[in-house]
Amino acid sequence: MKKLIACLLLIISFSAYANMVWPAVYLEARLFSWWAISAGLVIESIFVLKLFNLPAIKAFIATFCANFVSAVAGIILIPLSGIAWEIFPGSIFNELFNMGTFNPITWSATFIIACMINAAIEGGVYQKLFKLPFKYKSKTFFWFLIANAFSVGVALISVFINPLKL
């Protein structure tokens, strides 16, 4: 009977928090829209084309594969990074400035974290799968942060132009 009650309490507490949202969840939802994916692939393919001196088709294939891997990993990593932000630095900013979760500091942090996660994962794909000279402490990584800033920025701006209806 005690085990049954414990299980019920766990289920009840999970359902109570199932509707929690924070900026990382909103951003992730937009990162999976067809137009954000399309814009990201075009933008990042141009960077791959120029930075690695690849033919257009190979640049697009590499970009597609890198973005596929980062999208799959991002399903978990972007919301988890949002939770991590909310638990430690976000809660300090919220308390310090008397703000809620959806504030400019958290939106900015979410944007930067998403760009860094995407660039790091995509860089690993370029390096390991395509044997491209990608180094994390280099100008190449910086340029991929810029490329991801454009593609993540498209998704982020769309949240404000056309808010999600949950």
Side-chain angles (χ1 to χ4, degrees), residues 36-81:
I37 292 169
S38 300
L41 287 174
V42 169
I43 292 165
E44 291 181 35
S45 289
I46 293 168
F47 277 81
V48 171
L49 182 79
K50 298 293 183 190
L51 289 170
F52 296 126
N53 245 356
L54 296 175
I57 294 294
K58 188 170 182 180
F60 181 79
I61 291 169
T63 304
F64 180 84
C65 291
N67 277 274
F68 179 79
V69 172
S70 72
V72 170
I75 290 170
I76 295 168
L77 293 177
I78 291 176
L80 283 180
S81 68

Side-chain angles (χ1 to χ4, degrees), residues 21-37 74-75 78-79 107 155-156 158-159 163-166:
V21 294
W22 54 94
V25 174
Y26 275 93
L27 179 61
E28 182 192 30
R30 283 301 164 87
L31 286 171
F32 282 100
S33 59
W34 68 268
W35 46 267
I37 292 169
I75 290 170
I78 291 176
W107 279 113
L156 182 65
S158 77
V159 171
L164 292 172
K165 291 146 184 81
L166 297 176

Side-chain angles (χ1 to χ4, degrees), residues 10-27:
L10 283 174
I11 293 169
I12 291 168
S13 66
F14 284 137
S15 65
Y17 292 108
N19 65 350
M20 287 182 60
V21 294
W22 54 94
V25 174
Y26 275 93
L27 179 61

Side-chain angles (χ1 to χ4, degrees), residues 26-162:
Y26 275 93
L27 179 61
E28 182 192 30
R30 283 301 164 87
L31 286 171
F32 282 100
S33 59
W34 68 268
W35 46 267
I37 292 169
S38 300
L41 287 174
V42 169
I43 292 165
E44 291 181 35
S45 289
I46 293 168
F47 277 81
V48 171
L49 182 79
K50 298 293 183 190
L51 289 170
F52 296 126
N53 245 356
L54 296 175
I57 294 294
K58 188 170 182 180
F60 181 79
I61 291 169
T63 304
F64 180 84
C65 291
N67 277 274
F68 179 79
V69 172
S70 72
V72 170
I75 290 170
I76 295 168
L77 293 177
I78 291 176
L80 283 180
S81 68
I83 291 170
W85 170 265
E86 291 297 331
I87 289 172
F88 175 57
S91 63
I92 292 171
F93 286 113
N94 294 350
E95 186 69 30
L96 187 64
F97 297 114
N98 195 26
M99 298 185 291
T101 297
F102 292 91
N103 63 68
I105 295 169
T106 298
W107 279 113
S108 299
T110 299
F111 171 75
I112 291 166
I113 293 167
C115 290
M116 292 186 76
I117 288 171
N118 287 345
I121 293 169
E122 291 167 12
V125 172
Y126 295 132
Q127 189 179 55
K128 303 289 185 208
L129 192 62
F130 292 93
K131 308 295 185 215
L132 296 172
F134 185 91
K135 292 186 174 37
Y136 288 99
K137 294 180 180 178
S138 69
K139 288 182 183 178
T140 306
F141 183 71
F142 171 77
W143 284 113
F144 277 102
L145 279 175
I146 299 296
N148 276 283
F150 283 117
S151 58
V152 172
V154 167
L156 182 65
I157 290 168
S158 77
V159 171
F160 296 103
I161 293 173
N162 186 20

